[in-house]
Amino acid sequence: MLKRAFRFCKTSVCPSNPIFQEAGQQMLIDPVELSILLNRLEFSESKEALMEKRIRVGTSVVLRNVKTMEQVKVRLVPPEMVDTDSYLVSFISPLGSSLLGLRVGDMATVIVKDISIKWEVLTVNQNRLASVDA
Protein backbone atom coordinates (compact mmCIF):
# COMPACT_ATOMS: atom_id res chain seq x y z
CA MET A 1 0.00 0.00 0.00
CA LEU A 2 2.80 2.43 0.84
CA LYS A 3 4.46 1.65 -2.47
CA ARG A 4 1.32 2.82 -4.28
CA ALA A 5 0.95 5.92 -2.09
CA PHE A 6 4.55 7.05 -2.63
CA ARG A 7 5.04 5.92 -6.21
CA PHE A 8 6.90 8.53 -8.22
CA CYS A 9 6.41 8.36 -11.93
CA LYS A 10 7.46 10.93 -14.49
CA THR A 11 6.64 9.05 -17.69
CA SER A 12 3.55 9.40 -19.86
CA VAL A 13 2.70 5.72 -19.28
CA CYS A 14 2.39 6.07 -15.50
CA PRO A 15 -1.02 4.83 -14.25
CA SER A 16 -1.45 8.01 -12.21
CA ASN A 17 -1.26 10.13 -15.39
CA PRO A 18 -4.58 12.01 -15.79
CA ILE A 19 -5.08 10.56 -19.30
CA PHE A 20 -5.88 7.19 -17.71
CA GLN A 21 -8.30 8.64 -15.13
CA GLU A 22 -12.04 9.05 -15.46
CA ALA A 23 -13.16 12.10 -17.39
CA GLY A 24 -15.64 12.94 -14.65
CA GLN A 25 -18.86 14.84 -14.83
CA GLN A 26 -17.53 17.73 -16.91
CA MET A 27 -17.25 15.59 -20.05
CA LEU A 28 -20.62 13.98 -19.44
CA ILE A 29 -22.32 17.35 -18.88
CA ASP A 30 -20.92 18.99 -22.03
CA PRO A 31 -23.47 18.06 -24.73
CA VAL A 32 -20.94 18.26 -27.57
CA GLU A 33 -18.37 16.05 -25.80
CA LEU A 34 -21.09 13.59 -24.79
CA SER A 35 -22.43 13.45 -28.36
CA ILE A 36 -18.96 12.79 -29.76
CA LEU A 37 -18.37 10.02 -27.21
CA LEU A 38 -21.72 8.35 -27.96
CA ASN A 39 -21.13 8.52 -31.72
CA ARG A 40 -17.65 6.98 -31.37
CA LEU A 41 -19.00 4.30 -29.04
CA GLU A 42 -21.82 3.42 -31.44
CA PHE A 43 -19.46 3.31 -34.44
CA SER A 44 -16.89 1.18 -32.59
CA GLU A 45 -19.54 -1.45 -31.84
CA SER A 46 -20.72 -1.80 -35.46
CA LYS A 47 -20.07 -4.91 -37.58
CA GLU A 48 -17.89 -2.87 -39.92
CA ALA A 49 -15.69 -1.72 -37.04
CA LEU A 50 -15.32 -5.32 -35.85
CA MET A 51 -14.29 -6.48 -39.33
CA GLU A 52 -11.81 -3.60 -39.67
CA LYS A 53 -10.28 -4.40 -36.23
CA ARG A 54 -11.17 -1.02 -34.79
CA ILE A 55 -10.80 -0.26 -31.10
CA ARG A 56 -13.93 -0.86 -29.02
CA VAL A 57 -14.77 -1.58 -25.40
CA GLY A 58 -12.89 -4.76 -24.41
CA THR A 59 -10.04 -4.20 -26.84
CA SER A 60 -6.40 -4.43 -25.76
CA VAL A 61 -4.21 -1.88 -27.51
CA VAL A 62 -0.48 -1.23 -27.67
CA LEU A 63 0.25 2.48 -28.02
CA ARG A 64 3.43 4.45 -28.60
CA ASN A 65 3.92 8.01 -27.39
CA VAL A 66 5.02 9.80 -30.57
CA LYS A 67 7.30 12.22 -28.72
CA THR A 68 9.00 9.93 -26.17
CA MET A 69 8.62 6.61 -28.04
CA GLU A 70 7.37 4.99 -24.79
CA GLN A 71 4.99 2.10 -25.31
CA VAL A 72 2.06 1.04 -23.17
CA LYS A 73 -0.55 -1.71 -23.41
CA VAL A 74 -4.01 -0.69 -22.23
CA ARG A 75 -7.42 -2.30 -22.32
CA LEU A 76 -10.62 -0.29 -22.77
CA VAL A 77 -13.22 -1.27 -20.21
CA PRO A 78 -16.53 0.02 -18.80
CA PRO A 79 -16.12 2.47 -15.90
CA GLU A 80 -16.99 -0.16 -13.27
CA MET A 81 -13.99 -2.32 -14.34
CA VAL A 82 -11.31 0.41 -14.21
CA ASP A 83 -7.96 -0.51 -12.63
CA THR A 84 -5.35 2.01 -13.76
CA ASP A 85 -2.56 0.09 -11.99
CA SER A 86 -3.30 -2.79 -14.40
CA TYR A 87 -3.88 -0.39 -17.33
CA LEU A 88 -7.59 -1.17 -17.51
CA VAL A 89 -8.78 2.20 -18.79
CA SER A 90 -12.37 3.42 -18.97
CA PHE A 91 -13.76 4.27 -22.38
CA ILE A 92 -14.88 7.61 -20.88
CA SER A 93 -11.35 8.56 -19.77
CA PRO A 94 -9.49 11.09 -21.92
CA LEU A 95 -7.36 8.33 -23.47
CA GLY A 96 -10.18 5.80 -23.79
CA SER A 97 -12.61 8.14 -25.51
CA SER A 98 -9.94 9.26 -28.00
CA LEU A 99 -9.14 5.63 -28.92
CA LEU A 100 -12.69 4.43 -29.69
CA GLY A 101 -13.03 3.56 -33.39
CA LEU A 102 -9.33 3.84 -34.27
CA ARG A 103 -7.26 1.07 -35.85
CA VAL A 104 -3.59 0.16 -36.30
CA GLY A 105 -1.59 3.11 -37.65
CA ASP A 106 -4.07 5.75 -36.50
CA MET A 107 -3.09 8.55 -34.12
CA ALA A 108 -4.93 9.56 -30.96
CA THR A 109 -4.41 13.02 -29.53
CA VAL A 110 -5.17 13.33 -25.83
CA ILE A 111 -5.42 16.79 -24.26
CA VAL A 112 -5.46 17.07 -20.47
CA LYS A 113 -4.77 20.27 -18.56
CA ASP A 114 -3.53 22.04 -21.72
CA ILE A 115 -0.99 19.27 -22.41
CA SER A 116 -1.33 17.41 -25.70
CA ILE A 117 0.05 13.88 -26.12
CA LYS A 118 -0.05 12.03 -29.45
CA TRP A 119 -0.27 8.24 -29.39
CA GLU A 120 0.17 5.90 -32.34
CA VAL A 121 -1.88 2.70 -32.33
CA LEU A 122 0.57 -0.19 -32.84
CA THR A 123 -1.65 -3.24 -32.24
CA VAL A 124 -5.35 -3.94 -31.68
CA ASN A 125 -6.54 -7.17 -30.04
CA GLN A 126 -10.33 -7.53 -29.94
CA ASN A 127 -10.62 -10.21 -27.25
CA ARG A 128 -14.00 -10.68 -25.62
CA LEU A 129 -14.45 -8.73 -22.43
CA ALA A 130 -15.12 -10.83 -19.33
CA SER A 131 -18.20 -9.97 -17.32
CA VAL A 132 -17.87 -7.65 -14.36
CA ASP A 133 -19.33 -10.38 -12.14
CA ALA A 134 -16.92 -13.06 -13.41
Side-chain angles (χ1 to χ4, degrees):
M1 181 69 173
L2 285 177
K3 182 179 178 184
R4 181 182 291 177
F6 292 106
R7 183 182 340 194
F8 184 70
C9 186
K10 291 183 113 177
T11 69
S12 62
V13 297
C14 181
S16 63
N17 188 319
I19 66 169
F20 298 109
Q21 306 301 319
E22 290 294 325
Q25 292 181 348
Q26 185 169 352
M27 176 188 194
L28 300 178
I29 292 174
D30 182 335
V32 174
E33 290 291 327
L34 182 57
S35 177
I36 290 168
L37 173 64
L38 292 174
N39 284 333
R40 294 184 80 157
L41 186 59
E42 182 179 18
F43 170 71
S44 71
E45 294 299 322
S46 70
K47 286 184 181 180
E48 293 81 12
L50 184 61
M51 291 173 44
E52 295 175 358
K53 294 194 83 168
R54 292 188 180 265
I55 299 171
R56 60 191 177 114
V57 177
T59 300
S60 293
V61 184
V62 176
L63 305 169
R64 179 174 52 214
N65 182 315
V66 173
K67 184 176 181 182
T68 66
M69 303 306 275
E70 294 172 299
Q71 290 186 16
V72 63
K73 182 178 181 180
V74 299
R75 183 168 193 163
L76 255 53
V77 296
E80 63 271 14
M81 293 181 69
V82 168
D83 180 1
T84 54
D85 288 336
S86 298
Y87 295 98
L88 298 177
V89 178
S90 172
F91 69 86
I92 64 171
S93 68
L95 178 63
S97 62
S98 69
L99 291 174
L100 282 172
L102 299 182
R103 58 183 167 185
V104 173
D106 288 347
M107 296 286 195
T109 302
V110 181
I111 301 171
V112 175
K113 297 180 183 177
D114 297 328
I115 297 172
S116 176
I117 302 173
K118 289 189 183 233
W119 297 91
E120 180 182 5
V121 178
L122 299 179
T123 66
V124 174
N125 185 347
Q126 294 179 324
N127 289 335
R128 297 196 128 200
L129 187 60
S131 169
V132 177
D133 300 325

